[in-house]
Amino acid sequence: MNADPGAGGEDERETPSDDSVPDEEREALVTIAHGAVVTSGGVSGQRALTAATEFVLARGLGPTAYGVYALAWRIAQLLSRLVTFGSVPTLQRYLPEYADDPARRGTVAGLAYATTLGFGAAIAAGVWLAAPRINDLTVEEAAFPGAMRAFGFLVGLLGVVMVASAIFRAVGSARGEIAFNKLLRPGVRLVAAVAALAAGYSIGGVAVGIVAATALLAAVAVPLSARVTGVVPSLRGARREARRFYDHAAPVAMSSLGKVFQNRVDVLLVGALLTATAAGVYNVVLVLIAIAWIPLMSFNQLLPPVASDLYANDRTATLNAVYSSVTRQIVTAVVPILVVLAVYGRELLGLFGDPYVAGYLPLVVYLGGVFVGSAVGATGWLLMMTDHQYARMALDWLLAVLNVALTYAFVVRFGLVGAALGTSLAIAGQNGIQVLLLRRFEGLWPFDRTFLTPLAAGVAALLVARAVRAVVPGLAAVVVGGVLGLATYAAALRRLGVDPRDRLVASHLAGRYRAALARRLDR
């Protein structure tokens, strides 16, 4: 599909007044922003629960045992990216399109569940057989094979919860996806970990407890998703639907596999080339890095179905305007988070224990990749929603091969910093190329001069935060510097001027939330 004339040119895009935003664009922006607001709360809760779990385990197990657990957990997380075999993006692509055909929707959902269960069983069997060999190649600790085998069963269960959550998301329900995928999934892990440690268990008991708790969550998620969304999974008509389903899912799955080697090979190489303690330190770094991804994840919550609908209706110009505005909003939200993590990373890592402060430099290096990945917006999703999944697959694998070689060399030469450097370069490289592909294929281009405003405000916040750190000691600097830095950032944005589209979205949502609050208070 070709872009509408002028859809991608930044020079042809004028800054609108509040009243000049077309209704279709206004509706899309408000829908995505509302989803981002709802999601940001859920994702923030998810990150808080995850950080609490890692804090409890890091303190309760000790650096070496925690490193063994962290490696097994991260491998399971990597495999969970593959277990749905591309079903999650495929649900985002086709459930909105089949809105008027409940039977076809049910078939797509049925294929997603069946695919996930099949790959989950295969992964569990493979992990069971490979766990001793993985241990020999990595940490060489007696507790690792048992934990890894338990987590092998966890992968399929996580996949089921992800599919159920994706159905909520595909029909435009951010709350359902947030409840199961963002809150309950890490919540049951925290409860299981605390219970296992309180009962005196070590790594194996923690792993078994997490698997049992996740199994209960999956048993609840599937029927509740069907009842709330009306998308009842079925394999009736699966043979007719399978070809189109897997034509989209298969290249997405191959992209996911490529991305494991592209920007998650660092976890495997740290475990293979460094120590169990280093694996634990790097895992804590990834816990903090996950906070920086919150804005991108939040805005991406409802962008895929909105983009799919606009693209299917040949509204490329509107899609480009929405892409530009949403990307600028992501940048505006992520900059202050990056400032706090970069300036106060040592203090935040120290909360997990003194050994983890060694992860500060890898943290800062990794933040560079987060900035680039956030600054280009939802490039990967947009390639998939505009039916360019094969181009993304080829790019994922091209960069995966290059990244494995570079990251291996970096880890051998620089240790933990090398792991972060390789991943950061991979994230920056892929997202940079993807934004160029979107411009080439569809004429989509998000950038204009309005992106300079949050960057300039971020520089002001950075200077204030560093000044506070120089005069205020310890964790008090995080609180004082964070508050003053955010205040400086907000004041600078106000002074430099907020884009009218962003102002429009903020005022519309504020009015909606005030009205909702007033209705609740009147009850």
Side-chain angles (χ1 to χ4, degrees):
M1 181 179 295
N2 295 322
D4 293 346
E10 62 176 291
D11 297 332
E12 299 176 26
R13 188 166 61 233
E14 298 180 358
T15 301
S17 65
D18 287 359
D19 297 330
S20 67
V21 180
D23 290 342
E24 187 176 40
E25 182 183 341
R26 182 197 308 257
E27 181 181 354
L29 287 174
V30 169
T31 298
I32 294 168
H34 174 62
V37 171
V38 175
T39 302
S40 62
V43 174
S44 298
Q46 177 195 40
R47 298 308 190 226
L49 291 168
T50 300
T53 303
E54 303 304 336
F55 176 82
V56 168
L57 291 172
R59 293 284 189 175
L61 295 175
T64 301
Y66 174 71
V68 173
Y69 160 84
L71 180 61
W73 171 253
R74 286 295 171 180
I75 292 174
Q77 289 291 93
L78 296 181
L79 294 173
S80 72
R81 295 170 64 96
L82 310 176
V83 69
T84 64
F85 195 71
S87 295
V88 169
T90 304
L91 288 168
Q92 310 306 306
R93 176 64 182 87
Y94 293 130
L95 287 189
E97 182 177 331
Y98 301 159
D100 298 327
D101 192 342
R104 203 170 182 186
R105 275 185 158 194
T107 302
V108 172
L111 284 169
Y113 279 120
T115 300
T116 299
L117 289 172
F119 276 89
I123 288 173
V127 167
W128 185 275
L129 296 174
R133 181 58 178 164
I134 297 173
N135 183 52
D136 293 340
L137 295 172
T138 57
V139 292
E140 297 181 323
E141 295 283 344
F144 179 85
M148 190 69 258
R149 283 172 167 168
F151 282 152
F153 292 101
L154 178 69
V155 172
L157 297 172
L158 290 175
V160 170
V161 176
M162 290 163 61
V163 170
S165 301
I167 293 173
F168 279 109
R169 181 181 180 184
V171 300
S173 173
R175 292 178 181 177
E177 199 274 344
I178 290 166
F180 281 100
N181 206 33
K182 301 296 190 294
L183 297 178
L184 291 175
R185 188 154 66 98
V188 298
R189 184 165 75 103
L190 174 58
V191 171
V194 170
L197 291 175
Y201 291 106
S202 187
I203 302 170
V206 169
V208 171
I210 291 173
V211 172
T214 306
L216 290 175
L217 179 62
V220 172
V222 175
L224 190 60
S225 171
R227 188 173 68 183
V228 172
T229 65
V231 180
V232 180
S234 170
L235 292 179
R236 183 175 300 174
R239 182 175 297 180
R240 294 191 303 273
E241 194 66 43
R243 180 171 183 176
R244 192 178 191 204
F245 181 93
Y246 290 115
D247 184 58
H248 195 277
V252 171
M254 294 304 294
S255 292
S256 297
L257 180 59
K259 287 186 74 65
V260 167
F261 292 100
Q262 183 190 338
N263 58 21
R264 281 294 178 263
V265 73
D266 52 348
V267 175
L268 303 177
L269 291 176
V270 166
L273 301 176
L274 303 178
T275 64
T277 300
V281 171
Y282 199 68
N283 191 62
V284 171
V285 169
L286 295 180
V287 170
L288 295 186
I289 287 294
I291 297 172
W293 287 118
I294 290 176
L296 181 65
M297 291 182 62
S298 299
F299 279 95
N300 283 0
Q301 182 70 21
L302 295 183
L303 177 62
V306 170
S308 176
D309 181 64
L310 290 173
Y311 183 75
N313 289 285
D314 201 24
R315 306 296 296 172
T316 312
T318 301
L319 176 57
N320 187 74
V322 170
Y323 173 37
S324 178
S325 295
V326 169
T327 304
R328 183 180 55 253
Q329 292 162 19
I330 292 170
V331 173
T332 303
V334 79
V335 164
I337 298 175
L338 297 178
V339 168
V340 171
L341 290 176
V343 176
Y344 303 114
R346 287 189 181 89
E347 288 77 9
L348 295 172
L349 288 166
L351 291 173
F352 295 84
D354 291 339
Y356 302 99
V357 178
Y360 175 67
L361 187 55
L363 172 67
V364 173
V365 171
Y366 208 129
L367 290 176
V370 175
F371 172 72
V372 175
S374 299
V376 300
T379 55
W381 277 110
L382 286 174
L383 281 173
M384 290 185 289
M385 294 304 103
T386 54
D387 294 335
H388 297 298
Q389 61 268 23
Y390 284 97
R392 182 180 174 181
M393 178 189 71
L395 177 61
D396 281 334
W397 275 98
L398 175 65
L399 293 178
V401 173
L402 179 62
N403 184 56
V404 169
L406 288 177
T407 304
Y408 177 85
F410 290 156
V411 173
V412 170
R413 179 67 178 85
F414 303 113
L416 283 181
V417 176
L421 178 61
T423 302
S424 185
L425 289 174
I427 293 171
Q430 168 143 22
N431 281 279
I433 295 173
Q434 284 180 170
V435 77
L436 295 176
L437 289 179
L438 281 171
R439 187 168 192 174
R440 171 67 179 84
F441 292 149
E442 301 294 339
L444 302 178
W445 183 251
F447 304 117
D448 57 26
R449 62 182 179 275
T450 62
F451 279 69
L452 296 176
T453 299
L455 298 182
V459 172
L462 178 66
L463 295 175
V464 170
R466 287 180 61 86
V468 170
R469 190 179 187 278
V471 298
V472 180
L475 289 174
V478 182
V479 178
V480 176
V483 171
L484 291 179
L486 289 174
T488 302
Y489 184 71
L493 285 177
R494 184 179 180 87
R495 176 64 177 171
L496 295 170
V498 178
D499 184 84
R501 283 185 173 87
D502 300 344
R503 230 175 22 243
L504 171 68
V505 170
S507 63
H508 186 99
L509 292 181
R512 175 191 290 187
Y513 300 148
R514 280 196 301 267
L517 180 59
R519 287 194 300 270
R520 286 181 177 273
L521 293 176
D522 289 340
R523 290 178 182 176

